[in-house]
Amino acid sequence: MNKEVFFNIKQIYIFQVLFFSIFILSFILRVFFSKTLSLEDFGLIFAMINFFTIIAIFSNFGFSKSLRFFIPKFLANKEFGKIRNLFIYSFVLQMLLTVLFSVMIYFLSGYLSKEYFHSDLSVIFIKYFLIYFFASNLLIISTDVLLAYKKNV
């Protein structure tokens, strides 16, 4: 019991240090970007980050979080078929939504760059951010599956 408590405390401490270092790195990058980029480029980058963050909320709909909730219950009851079905359904639905949003954003990139971002340069950035958008959704699903199985991420 003591080893398990010590291990959990160590994990919490490690995650706290990682989160704190990410916040510090984010602050340093923002200061660096604000000093090296023009005002328009700085605003464009963070407008795009915020835009894709908002879109990511709508492409997730909590499907991956349901994995964290239901997989331990199904594991306790040894219902492995339900785990497989839950994973397949949530993965397929989330990837379909991600692809749907990605295709819509790709074809609307010209309109978004003129009307929302007010920059012709943003068309290129939108296409690069779509790769990030797709990869981040894969990362969210895999992280939640591993957390459901209590594996270290």
Side-chain angles (χ1 to χ4, degrees):
M1 175 83 173
N2 289 335
K3 288 182 180 180
E4 185 176 324
V5 170
F6 178 72
F7 179 73
N8 289 336
I9 290 172
K10 187 174 80 172
Q11 277 187 320
I12 291 171
Y13 178 73
I14 288 171
F15 281 120
Q16 291 296 328
V17 169
L18 285 174
F19 285 135
F20 183 70
S21 62
I22 288 171
F23 289 134
I24 289 175
L25 180 64
S26 172
F27 176 74
I28 291 170
L29 281 175
R30 285 179 190 233
V31 170
F32 174 74
F33 285 151
S34 70
K35 298 293 182 190
T36 58
L37 296 175
S38 69
L39 184 61
E40 293 83 16
D41 292 342
F42 182 77
L44 175 64
I45 287 175
F46 285 100
M48 293 190 73
I49 289 171
N50 291 332
F51 175 76
F52 278 97
T53 302
I54 291 169
I55 297 298
I57 292 169
F58 292 112
S59 71
N60 194 342
F61 282 126
F63 292 125
S64 61
K65 302 301 181 220
S66 68
L67 293 170
R68 268 205 269 179
F69 181 78
F70 285 111
I71 285 178
K73 288 184 177 187
F74 292 152
L75 277 175
N77 296 332
K78 300 195 184 309
E79 297 175 309
F80 302 113
K82 286 186 178 181
I83 293 172
R84 183 179 53 90
N85 290 338
L86 177 67
F87 175 74
I88 289 171
Y89 291 142
S90 66
F91 181 79
V92 167
L93 284 172
Q94 189 165 350
M95 286 299 109
L96 280 175
L97 285 171
T98 301
V99 167
L100 176 71
F101 281 123
S102 296
V103 167
M104 285 173 37
I105 292 170
Y106 181 82
F107 286 117
L108 292 174
S109 62
Y111 175 78
L112 288 171
S113 69
K114 288 181 184 171
E115 299 297 325
Y116 184 72
F117 297 114
H118 303 291
S119 171
D120 294 332
L121 182 65
S122 64
V123 174
I124 299 166
F125 284 129
I126 287 173
K127 293 175 182 170
Y128 284 123
F129 268 92
L130 286 174
I131 297 168
Y132 157 77
F133 177 64
F134 192 78
S136 69
N137 279 326
L138 285 176
L139 179 68
I140 288 169
I141 272 196
S142 13
T143 301
D144 285 334
V145 166
L146 290 174
L147 285 173
Y149 280 108
K150 304 268 188 225
K151 303 288 183 191
N152 292 335
V153 181

PDB file of all heavy atoms in Angstrom, residues 1 16 23 30 52 72 95 132 145 153:
ATOM      1  N   MET A   1       0.819  -1.197   0.000  1.00  0.00           N
ATOM      2  CA  MET A   1       0.000   0.000   0.000  1.00  0.00           C
ATOM      3  C   MET A   1       0.864   1.262   0.000  1.00  0.00           C
ATOM      4  O   MET A   1       0.595   2.189  -0.733  1.00  0.00           O
ATOM      5  CB  MET A   1      -0.930  -0.035   1.214  1.00  0.00           C
ATOM      6  CG  MET A   1      -1.738   1.201   1.398  1.00  0.00           C
ATOM      7  SD  MET A   1      -3.203   1.146   0.374  1.00  0.00           S
ATOM      8  CE  MET A   1      -4.022   2.579   0.946  1.00  0.00           C
ATOM      9  N   GLN A  16       2.794  17.779 -12.263  1.00  0.00           N
ATOM     10  CA  GLN A  16       2.755  19.189 -11.869  1.00  0.00           C
ATOM     11  C   GLN A  16       3.986  19.929 -12.382  1.00  0.00           C
ATOM     12  O   GLN A  16       3.892  21.052 -12.867  1.00  0.00           O
ATOM     13  CB  GLN A  16       2.646  19.327 -10.345  1.00  0.00           C
ATOM     14  CG  GLN A  16       1.325  18.891  -9.785  1.00  0.00           C
ATOM     15  CD  GLN A  16       0.183  19.750 -10.279  1.00  0.00           C
ATOM     16  OE1 GLN A  16       0.332  20.929 -10.534  1.00  0.00           O
ATOM     17  NE2 GLN A  16      -0.977  19.144 -10.444  1.00  0.00           N
ATOM     18  N   PHE A  23       3.879  25.760 -19.010  1.00  0.00           N
ATOM     19  CA  PHE A  23       3.402  27.143 -18.891  1.00  0.00           C
ATOM     20  C   PHE A  23       4.542  28.132 -19.018  1.00  0.00           C
ATOM     21  O   PHE A  23       4.403  29.172 -19.669  1.00  0.00           O
ATOM     22  CB  PHE A  23       2.674  27.355 -17.561  1.00  0.00           C
ATOM     23  CG  PHE A  23       1.338  26.669 -17.498  1.00  0.00           C
ATOM     24  CD1 PHE A  23       0.974  25.935 -16.390  1.00  0.00           C
ATOM     25  CD2 PHE A  23       0.428  26.756 -18.547  1.00  0.00           C
ATOM     26  CE1 PHE A  23      -0.251  25.310 -16.324  1.00  0.00           C
ATOM     27  CE2 PHE A  23      -0.800  26.131 -18.492  1.00  0.00           C
ATOM     28  CZ  PHE A  23      -1.136  25.402 -17.373  1.00  0.00           C
ATOM     29  N   ARG A  30       5.801  33.095 -26.167  1.00  0.00           N
ATOM     30  CA  ARG A  30       4.976  34.265 -26.474  1.00  0.00           C
ATOM     31  C   ARG A  30       5.803  35.538 -26.443  1.00  0.00           C
ATOM     32  O   ARG A  30       5.639  36.407 -27.304  1.00  0.00           O
ATOM     33  CB  ARG A  30       3.803  34.375 -25.508  1.00  0.00           C
ATOM     34  CG  ARG A  30       2.722  33.378 -25.796  1.00  0.00           C
ATOM     35  CD  ARG A  30       1.589  33.502 -24.810  1.00  0.00           C
ATOM     36  NE  ARG A  30       0.685  32.383 -24.979  1.00  0.00           N
ATOM     37  CZ  ARG A  30      -0.610  32.513 -25.161  1.00  0.00           C
ATOM     38  NH1 ARG A  30      -1.143  33.715 -25.189  1.00  0.00           N
ATOM     39  NH2 ARG A  30      -1.358  31.465 -25.308  1.00  0.00           N
ATOM     40  N   PHE A  52      -8.503  26.975 -34.029  1.00  0.00           N
ATOM     41  CA  PHE A  52      -8.443  25.518 -34.069  1.00  0.00           C
ATOM     42  C   PHE A  52      -8.723  24.892 -32.710  1.00  0.00           C
ATOM     43  O   PHE A  52      -9.212  23.766 -32.639  1.00  0.00           O
ATOM     44  CB  PHE A  52      -7.100  25.045 -34.635  1.00  0.00           C
ATOM     45  CG  PHE A  52      -7.077  25.069 -36.132  1.00  0.00           C
ATOM     46  CD1 PHE A  52      -6.527  26.132 -36.814  1.00  0.00           C
ATOM     47  CD2 PHE A  52      -7.635  24.047 -36.866  1.00  0.00           C
ATOM     48  CE1 PHE A  52      -6.527  26.179 -38.196  1.00  0.00           C
ATOM     49  CE2 PHE A  52      -7.641  24.071 -38.247  1.00  0.00           C
ATOM     50  CZ  PHE A  52      -7.088  25.144 -38.912  1.00  0.00           C
ATOM     51  N   PRO A  72     -12.821   1.283 -17.505  1.00  0.00           N
ATOM     52  CA  PRO A  72     -12.596   0.615 -16.208  1.00  0.00           C
ATOM     53  C   PRO A  72     -13.804  -0.184 -15.724  1.00  0.00           C
ATOM     54  O   PRO A  72     -13.643  -1.256 -15.134  1.00  0.00           O
ATOM     55  CB  PRO A  72     -12.296   1.778 -15.254  1.00  0.00           C
ATOM     56  CG  PRO A  72     -11.774   2.851 -16.119  1.00  0.00           C
ATOM     57  CD  PRO A  72     -12.519   2.712 -17.413  1.00  0.00           C
ATOM     58  N   MET A  95     -13.013  10.496 -35.530  1.00  0.00           N
ATOM     59  CA  MET A  95     -12.243  10.677 -36.756  1.00  0.00           C
ATOM     60  C   MET A  95     -13.135  11.176 -37.904  1.00  0.00           C
ATOM     61  O   MET A  95     -12.696  11.984 -38.720  1.00  0.00           O
ATOM     62  CB  MET A  95     -11.534   9.377 -37.155  1.00  0.00           C
ATOM     63  CG  MET A  95     -10.335   9.056 -36.289  1.00  0.00           C
ATOM     64  SD  MET A  95      -9.067  10.325 -36.375  1.00  0.00           S
ATOM     65  CE  MET A  95      -9.173  11.080 -34.790  1.00  0.00           C
ATOM     66  N   TYR A 132      -1.912  19.590 -37.731  1.00  0.00           N
ATOM     67  CA  TYR A 132      -1.880  19.649 -36.266  1.00  0.00           C
ATOM     68  C   TYR A 132      -3.227  19.239 -35.685  1.00  0.00           C
ATOM     69  O   TYR A 132      -3.298  18.484 -34.700  1.00  0.00           O
ATOM     70  CB  TYR A 132      -1.510  21.067 -35.817  1.00  0.00           C
ATOM     71  CG  TYR A 132      -1.952  21.405 -34.425  1.00  0.00           C
ATOM     72  CD1 TYR A 132      -1.267  20.925 -33.318  1.00  0.00           C
ATOM     73  CD2 TYR A 132      -3.088  22.182 -34.214  1.00  0.00           C
ATOM     74  CE1 TYR A 132      -1.695  21.224 -32.045  1.00  0.00           C
ATOM     75  CE2 TYR A 132      -3.511  22.478 -32.945  1.00  0.00           C
ATOM     76  CZ  TYR A 132      -2.819  22.001 -31.858  1.00  0.00           C
ATOM     77  OH  TYR A 132      -3.248  22.284 -30.602  1.00  0.00           O
ATOM     78  N   VAL A 145      -7.409   6.520 -23.911  1.00  0.00           N
ATOM     79  CA  VAL A 145      -7.422   5.056 -23.838  1.00  0.00           C
ATOM     80  C   VAL A 145      -6.369   4.572 -22.838  1.00  0.00           C
ATOM     81  O   VAL A 145      -6.638   3.717 -21.998  1.00  0.00           O
ATOM     82  CB  VAL A 145      -7.179   4.425 -25.233  1.00  0.00           C
ATOM     83  CG1 VAL A 145      -6.859   2.953 -25.116  1.00  0.00           C
ATOM     84  CG2 VAL A 145      -8.389   4.627 -26.111  1.00  0.00           C
ATOM     85  N   VAL A 153       1.289   7.798 -19.269  1.00  0.00           N
ATOM     86  CA  VAL A 153       1.352   8.489 -20.561  1.00  0.00           C
ATOM     87  C   VAL A 153       2.645   9.259 -20.621  1.00  0.00           C
ATOM     88  O   VAL A 153       3.063   9.906 -19.720  1.00  0.00           O
ATOM     89  CB  VAL A 153       0.145   9.435 -20.721  1.00  0.00           C
ATOM     90  CG1 VAL A 153       0.208  10.132 -22.059  1.00  0.00           C
ATOM     91  CG2 VAL A 153      -1.137   8.684 -20.567  1.00  0.00           C
TER      92      VAL A 153
END
